[in-house]
Amino acid sequence: MAIEVVTDERPFSWSGTALAFVESCVGGIVIGAAIALLLIPVRRRLPELLLHSVLSVATPFLAYLPAELLHVSGVLAVVTCGFVTTRFRPRVIGSDARIQATAFWEVASYLLNSALFILVGIQLPVAVRALTSVSLAQAAIAAVSVAVIGTRLL
């Protein structure tokens, strides 16, 4: 919204910005709920357990992309889709598929966290070498970062 206000050629108005914000939020929520409700019958008819895991990976993209194409909140669409899907999950997905999906997401989460720490570790020496001077705020941020990373390692 802020970028749109700065780059738009029309004059700024609080009421117009507030209306655009509400439209973006409501639009994202509606699209997220609609995508989730459209996927419920699909989930009920999936013949294979592995397809439930594949659909759980694809669902956020299926919610985000239409919302972004319509210029509403993609993040709210994904969150709403997740809430609605979670609400109906026990009645839609069998217990064996839920167990497999949970195991899949545990492994995927572990691998993504590992990849993130590896990428941060690769970039950290480059970032430290690029520092020419350090302000008090930057030193505080670095101290907090070291504490968080150290706690995570423990």
Side-chain angles (χ1 to χ4, degrees), residues 43 46 49-60 101 104-105:
R43 287 183 180 270
L46 286 178
L49 295 179
L50 184 60
L51 292 177
H52 284 284
S53 296
V54 171
L55 189 58
S56 71
V57 171
T59 299
F104 166 79
W105 279 110

Side-chain angles (χ1 to χ4, degrees), residues 22-151:
V22 170
E23 286 174 350
S24 178
C25 291
V26 171
I29 291 168
V30 168
I31 288 175
I35 295 295
L37 293 174
L38 286 172
L39 289 176
I40 286 173
V42 172
R43 287 183 180 270
R44 281 193 176 124
R45 290 177 179 83
L46 286 178
E48 202 171 317
L49 295 179
L50 184 60
L51 292 177
H52 284 284
S53 296
V54 171
L55 189 58
S56 71
V57 171
T59 299
F61 296 102
L62 294 172
Y64 183 83
L65 293 175
E68 281 299 310
L69 288 174
L70 295 173
H71 302 290
V72 296
S73 177
V75 173
L76 281 177
V78 171
V79 170
T80 303
C81 187
F83 282 151
V84 173
T85 302
T86 301
R87 176 75 175 113
F88 291 103
R89 184 174 58 186
R91 288 178 264 166
V92 174
I93 303 171
S95 60
D96 51 348
R98 286 196 313 264
I99 290 170
Q100 183 175 359
T102 300
F104 166 79
W105 279 110
E106 285 178 6
V107 171
S109 175
Y110 179 79
L111 292 174
L112 289 171
N113 277 330
S114 300
L116 176 66
F117 275 99
I118 288 170
L119 291 173
V120 168
I122 290 171
Q123 290 300 311
L124 188 62
V126 175
V128 169
R129 273 189 249 118
L131 289 176
T132 56
S133 65
V134 178
S135 69
L136 182 60
Q138 290 171 326
I141 291 170
V144 169
S145 298
V146 168
V148 168
I149 292 169
T151 303

